[in-house]
Amino acid sequence: MAGHSKWKNIQVRKGAQDAKKGKVFTKVTKEIMLAAKAGGGDPITNARLRSAIAAAKAVNLPKDKIDTAVKKGTGELAGGNIDEITYEGYGPGGVAILIEAATDNRNRTVADVRAIMSKNGGQLGEAGCVGWMFDKKGVIELDKAKYAEDKVMEAALEAGAEDILDQGDTWEVNTAPEDFEAVRQALEDAGMELLSAEISMLPKNTVDVDAETGRKLMKLMDALDDYDDVQQTHSNFELPEALMAEMG
């Protein structure tokens, strides 16, 4: 089974160290609101909210802001009127792109996303045009230098993980969405610090691109990620090794 592409793993590690706190805080706050709106404000019974709060704590979002976001999501406080929407399209080289957004104004967001795509050599497509190329999976990243493979495998597989992939300097643990929380908890209970843990869309197959196309794609994906209404981006391209080395 395919795991995260190389560009996504770079993005995950960048996100863990992202200095643009304002944008990170905006995204984790919106995810808390969406999770509370969808499944209620109790993290014990709402697995998505539990994950959202864990992600917020990982980037040091203050507790009062977490509590406010939960209350907005449940409707206890005003300001939680946001919707989830997924856009599908194509980037330079014809690669598939999925864009998960959270917005209080669908017309504004689709216009802005279309403009970002167009400006950077991509285009939006019809609903369903590329979604079939991806599987929804739980994805957990751990620092390979800190944890031996057998320790990760023992904890993850016993809790229901599907696969453990060597991604260079990280271990990537893949799970079915319904097993994600149990596997995440098992790894934490085993004393492991997670670099990231999220429900993601993994490509069933990846497409190799050349360096020129890779640079265009990275510019597009960065522009999408920088837009406040975009929560996550997913694609199926693989960058060439030379470009990876160039990026450090």
Side-chain angles (χ1 to χ4, degrees):
M1 180 180 67
H4 271 161
S5 59
K6 294 186 184 74
W7 79 266
K8 186 68 174 182
N9 284 291
I10 290 172
Q11 186 187 45
V12 165
R13 288 190 289 281
K14 273 175 57 182
Q17 307 157 358
D18 201 334
K20 295 179 290 186
K21 283 284 180 65
K23 291 190 181 297
V24 174
F25 283 0
T26 297
K27 292 180 190 295
V28 295
T29 299
K30 282 186 175 181
E31 175 58 20
I32 291 170
M33 291 164 61
L34 289 169
K37 181 179 179 181
D42 185 354
I44 295 174
T45 57
N46 184 343
R48 179 177 175 183
L49 179 59
R50 198 156 62 244
S51 292
I53 290 173
K57 288 179 177 177
V59 296
N60 298 313
L61 184 69
K63 185 179 183 301
D64 63 321
K65 293 189 181 298
I66 292 175
D67 293 342
T68 297
V70 172
K71 290 175 180 177
K72 284 184 177 180
T74 59
E76 190 176 339
L77 292 176
N81 185 29
I82 59 172
D83 296 316
E84 295 179 89
I85 186 165
T86 299
Y87 303 106
E88 304 181 35
Y90 304 92
V95 305
I97 295 177
L98 281 181
I99 304 159
E100 295 181 32
T103 179
D104 59 0
N105 186 326
R106 287 172 175 250
N107 290 335
R108 178 198 69 222
T109 302
V110 70
D112 289 347
V113 169
R114 181 177 287 113
I116 292 169
M117 292 282 280
S118 179
K119 182 179 178 181
N120 291 280
Q123 64 180 54
L124 282 185
E126 297 296 322
C129 66
V130 300
W132 58 273
M133 300 182 190
F134 297 82
D135 288 322
K136 181 177 278 191
K137 296 291 180 182
V139 182
I140 301 168
E141 298 271 350
L142 302 101
D143 188 340
K144 190 174 168 183
K146 287 185 178 180
Y147 308 111
E149 182 178 16
D150 58 350
K151 184 179 179 183
V152 175
M153 288 184 69
E154 180 180 3
L157 294 177
E158 283 187 9
E162 293 181 343
D163 208 354
I164 292 133
L165 304 176
D166 184 341
Q167 294 285 14
D169 55 0
T170 65
W171 298 117
E172 178 185 312
V173 179
N174 292 165
T175 79
E178 60 269 21
D179 296 325
F180 171 70
E181 276 300 318
V183 175
R184 183 172 73 86
Q185 191 64 55
L187 291 168
E188 290 182 338
D189 288 348
M192 298 184 213
E193 182 180 351
L194 312 182
L195 291 176
S196 68
E198 64 181 10
I199 300 295
S200 190
M201 300 297 290
L202 298 185
K204 295 176 181 177
N205 296 288
T206 55
V207 178
D208 292 329
V209 298
D210 60 30
E212 181 181 356
T213 304
R215 289 188 184 93
K216 291 177 182 177
L217 284 163
M218 293 300 291
K219 184 179 178 184
L220 167 59
M221 303 310 281
D222 283 344
L224 288 168
D225 286 330
D226 279 344
Y227 179 48
D228 280 348
D229 287 356
V230 169
Q231 292 293 96
Q232 287 200 71
T233 56
H234 314 280
S235 191
N236 65 342
F237 66 87
E238 286 286 8
L239 297 170
E241 293 296 337
L243 184 55
M244 292 285 293
E246 183 182 305
M247 294 170 60

